[in-house]
Each structure stands twice: as C-alpha cells, then as structure tokens.
C-alpha cells in the first residue's frame, strides 16, 4: 500500500459532526469513549478523525502512536499551534498497535506532551478562545465524524473545543467527583455561550455517557444511586451506561480501542449501542 491510500480524505462536502468528549474532571472515560466510538464508526465505514487535546496522549496511544514526540517527522497538534503545519497537514492515519496496520477510515491529530503549555503559547493572541474554531473548517466536509478528546479540565484547550464543536458529550463515572465535573462543565458552557453563542457553538451538554465505577466490596450501591441521580437530572440525553469491565483496562494496556480489542465484551457492546443511539451509524 502506498501512503497515498492513507492520505487525508478530500473535501467532498460531507456533513461533518464534531463531538467534544469532555468533563471538568480527569478519569471520567473521555479517552475510552473517543477511541471506542471512533473505531466503531470507522468500522461502519464512516470517515472519522480524532483530535487529541491532552498532554497525557491517551487517545493517540489507543490509535497506534505510543509517543508522538519521539518521532520528529510526526506532526502533532502542538506543531499546528506553533504554525509549523496546518491542521489538515497534521492528520495521520490511525494504526492498530498490535498489527501495526493502518485502520481503514480512521485518522488522528496526535497529541504532544508540550500541549500543557498551550495557555502560555496562546497568551498574547487576540480572541485566543477561538484557536480551534479558526482552523477546524480545514477538516469539515472531509469526515463524517470528528471527535475531540479533551483533557480533564475546562481550561483553554477545552474552551477552544467547546466553541469549535457541534455536540458536547459529557463523559462521567457514576461517582461524585466526575459528576461534579459535569456541573462545572455546564457552567462553563453557559458562560461561553453567552459570549460566543452567535457562532453556533453548543449551548449545553448534548449527551451524557456514564461509565460505572469499578466496584470494591460494597461500593456498588453508591454507584447505582449516582447513576440514578444522573439519569434523573439529564433524562433522555443519557446514553447506554458503560458497565465496569476489565477488558477496558486490558485494552488500554494493549493500546487499542476496546471496540477493536474485544468487540463482544460488555463495554464494547455498550459503546457500539451508544454510537447507534447518537445516530452516528445504523
Ligand atoms: N467501563 C470501564 N470499566 C473499567 N475501567 C474503565 C472503564 N472505562 C474506563 N475505565 C478506566 O478508567 C480510567 C480512565 O478512563 P479514561 O477514558 O482514560 O478517562 P479520561 O480520558 O476521562 O481521563 C482508565 O484507566 C480506564 O481504563
Ligand atoms: Mg483522557
């Protein structure tokens, strides 16, 4: 295969949906969601691009790039912010970490550990909150789906994604800390929508994905109660709950999306259903 086969798709006028996977708290299942849904949609022949915003680089790793900074020839999102590459030039094909083969229909904009300096980097820029909004148009029309995997805070990286994206996916564990992160996120979106609503940014959380906390002894009831409270609060935007499933950390170790690593396990089936609930594929 030539590298051309893996070139970024042309703009064919696709109606691109841009999902922002986010929560003000870390460890809420954002990267697991991003990798799992991206792979599931690609498997359904949708053209998908994941943009990672986190210096921890989890989704880059799940999509086949263990340490993007180690290879000087690999463009990362940081290079885009540094204006060394355009966003479209920084799109690379996702790879299966086990077979090293390119994954059809799936692309990624890689993360760098330098992303933690984004705030400083953009400090002097006018309207820096628009940093992603200004360039995301380069990718619209080329993909059916773009998933932006945010870090576990609502600072400038996430703010940029919230303004640039179309639909906010609030990822949370059925635990107090992550559920509070969701509230923080809603406040932030309301704030931003007051300032930037006119450019068509999301005005609230569009979807909620609950991942069940991993049970230790008798903690099960606390998680059930929290899941119930979240369903009461968010009602019909709450998607299928992703149950605690040992295949997820296993897939993390194998550096693969869980929908690739073990498609028929409980968590993978939940993500497959979530994709259908969101009408990302049939
Ligand atoms: N369904 C699940 N069952 C068990 N562990 C999970 C599940 N989903 C996620 N995890 C674990 O939770 C941790 C945080 O998940 P991750 O997706 O990286 O969160 P975030 O990107 O929000 O920080 C990871 O160690 C992951 O393996
Ligand atoms: Mg993450």
């Amino acid at each position: 295969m030539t590298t051309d086969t893996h070139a970024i798709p042309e703009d064919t006028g696709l109606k691109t949906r841009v999902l922002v996977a986010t929560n003000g708290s870390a460890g809420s299942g954002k990267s697991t969601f991003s990798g799992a849904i991206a792979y599931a949609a690609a498997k359904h022949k949708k053209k998908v691009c994941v943009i990672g915003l986190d210096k921890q680089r989890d989704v880059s790793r799940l999509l086949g790039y263990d340490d993007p900074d180690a290879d000087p020839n690999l463009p990362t999102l940081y290079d885009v912010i540094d204006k060394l590459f355009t966003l479209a030039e920084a799109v690379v094909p996702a790879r299966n970490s086990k077979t090293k083969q390119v994954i059809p229909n799936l692309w990624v904009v890689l993360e760098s550990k330098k992303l933690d300096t984004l705030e400083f980097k953009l400090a002097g820029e006018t309207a820096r909150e628009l940093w992603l909004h200004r360039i995301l148009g380069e990718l619209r029309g080329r993909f059916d789906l773009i998933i932006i995997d945010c870090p576990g805070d609502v600072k400038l990286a996430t703010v940029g994604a919230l303004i640039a994206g179309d639909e906010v996916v609030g990822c949370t564990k059925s635990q107090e800390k992550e559920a509070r992160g969701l509230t923080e996120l809603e406040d932030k979106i309301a704030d931003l929508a007051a300032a930037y609503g006119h450019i068509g940014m999301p005005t609230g959380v569009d979807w909620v994905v609950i991942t069940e906390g991993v049970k230790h002894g008798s903690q099960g009831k606390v998680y059930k109660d929290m899941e119930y409270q979240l369903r009461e609060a968010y009602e019909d935007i709450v998607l299928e709950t992703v149950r605690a499933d040992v295949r997820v950390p296993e897939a993390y170790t194998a550096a693969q999306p869980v929908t690739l690593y073990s498609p028929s396990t409980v968590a993978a089936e939940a993500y497959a259903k979530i994709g259908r609930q969101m009408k990302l594929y049939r």
Side-chain angles (χ1 to χ4, degrees), residues 2 12 16 31 36 47 65 69 72 81 84 89 98 115 127 146 155 162 185 187 190 196 198 223 227 239 254 260 277:
T2 68
T12 53
T16 306
S31 300
K47 290 194 176 117
Y65 296 84
D69 292 310
I81 291 160
L84 298 174
E89 285 168 350
K98 188 164 165 216
L115 281 173
I146 294 174
K155 296 198 285 203
L162 289 172
L185 172 66
D187 292 346
Y196 295 105
H198 62 285
Y223 296 151
E227 185 184 336
L239 300 164
L260 164 63
Q277 288 176 314

Side-chain angles (χ1 to χ4, degrees), residues 30-31 54 58 149-150:
K30 300 178 294 290
S31 300
D54 193 353
D58 289 321
D149 182 28
C150 294

Side-chain angles (χ1 to χ4, degrees), residues 230-272:
L230 284 163
R231 286 195 176 273
E232 284 270 284
Y234 292 97
E235 300 180 334
D236 51 348
I237 64 168
V238 182
L239 300 164
E240 178 80 358
T241 297
V242 184
R243 297 291 160 206
D245 182 346
V246 69
R247 294 279 177 264
V248 173
E250 273 180 30
Y252 245 89
T253 305
Q256 293 183 332
V258 68
T259 42
L260 164 63
Y261 178 77
S262 183
S264 58
T265 198
V266 179
E269 286 194 338
Y271 283 117

Side-chain angles (χ1 to χ4, degrees), residues 3-282:
T3 48
D4 240 359
T5 329
H6 313 314
I8 175 174
E10 297 289 326
D11 181 354
T12 53
L14 289 175
K15 170 113 190 53
T16 306
R17 283 173 71 178
V18 182
L19 310 184
V20 183
T22 179
N23 182 313
S25 166
S28 52
K30 300 178 294 290
S31 300
T32 304
F33 168 89
S34 300
I37 291 293
Y39 182 78
K43 194 84 185 148
H44 281 89
K45 306 234 157 44
K46 301 298 175 187
K47 290 194 176 117
V48 185
C49 182
V50 175
I51 305 177
L53 301 189
D54 193 353
K55 65 171 192 308
Q56 286 204 33
R57 313 181 302 287
D58 289 321
V59 87
S60 300
R61 190 169 163 270
L62 291 177
L63 298 179
Y65 296 84
D66 194 34
D67 183 7
D69 292 310
D71 181 348
N73 295 316
L74 270 181
T76 71
L77 182 63
Y78 188 84
D79 300 322
V80 176
I81 291 160
D82 228 0
K83 303 203 164 61
L84 298 174
F85 292 89
T86 65
L87 184 61
E89 285 168 350
V91 172
V92 299
R95 304 186 296 211
N96 180 326
S97 296
K98 188 164 165 216
T99 64
K100 307 292 177 207
Q101 297 285 308
V102 160
I103 300 175
N105 302 317
L106 187 50
W107 286 264
V108 57
V109 177
L110 296 169
E111 295 152 304
S112 160
K113 37 179 181 274
K114 289 181 282 186
L115 281 173
D116 63 346
T117 64
L118 184 96
E119 305 260 343
F120 303 104
K121 195 88 196 155
L122 297 175
E125 287 206 10
T126 308
R128 59 185 175 279
E129 290 88 351
L130 300 180
W131 71 269
L132 187 54
H133 180 79
R134 274 196 286 263
I135 53 178
L136 196 62
E138 290 176 34
L139 304 190
R140 288 191 188 265
R142 299 172 187 262
F143 297 99
D144 295 289
L145 179 65
I146 294 174
I147 303 180
I148 306 176
D149 182 28
C150 294
D153 58 52
V154 283
K155 296 198 285 203
L156 189 53
T158 301
V159 164
L162 289 172
I163 294 171
D166 302 326
E167 298 166 55
V168 176
V169 183
C171 299
T172 182
K173 285 214 171 143
S174 52
Q175 305 177 158
E176 186 71 29
K177 177 175 81 94
E178 290 81 3
R180 264 192 284 116
L182 213 51
T183 314
E184 190 191 338
L185 172 66
E186 286 193 289
D187 292 346
K188 191 73 186 185
I189 296 173
D191 235 32
L192 290 171
Y196 295 105
H198 62 285
I199 56 180
M201 66 162 287
T203 51
V205 173
D206 297 278
W207 310 98
V208 172
V209 175
I210 305 173
T211 299
E212 187 180 44
V214 177
K215 293 185 196 77
H216 302 286
S218 61
Q219 280 179 356
K221 178 160 183 335
V222 180
Y223 296 151
K224 276 274 167 248
D225 289 349
M226 184 52 77
E227 185 184 336
Y228 180 79
Q229 283 179 36
L230 284 163
R231 286 195 176 273
E232 284 270 284
Y234 292 97
E235 300 180 334
D236 51 348
I237 64 168
V238 182
L239 300 164
E240 178 80 358
T241 297
V242 184
R243 297 291 160 206
D245 182 346
V246 69
R247 294 279 177 264
V248 173
E250 273 180 30
Y252 245 89
T253 305
Q256 293 183 332
V258 68
T259 42
L260 164 63
Y261 178 77
S262 183
S264 58
T265 198
V266 179
E269 286 194 338
Y271 283 117
K273 179 165 176 190
I274 285 169
R276 288 192 299 275
Q277 288 176 314
M278 297 177 76
K279 298 198 163 47
L280 300 175
Y281 46 78
R282 287 143 65 94

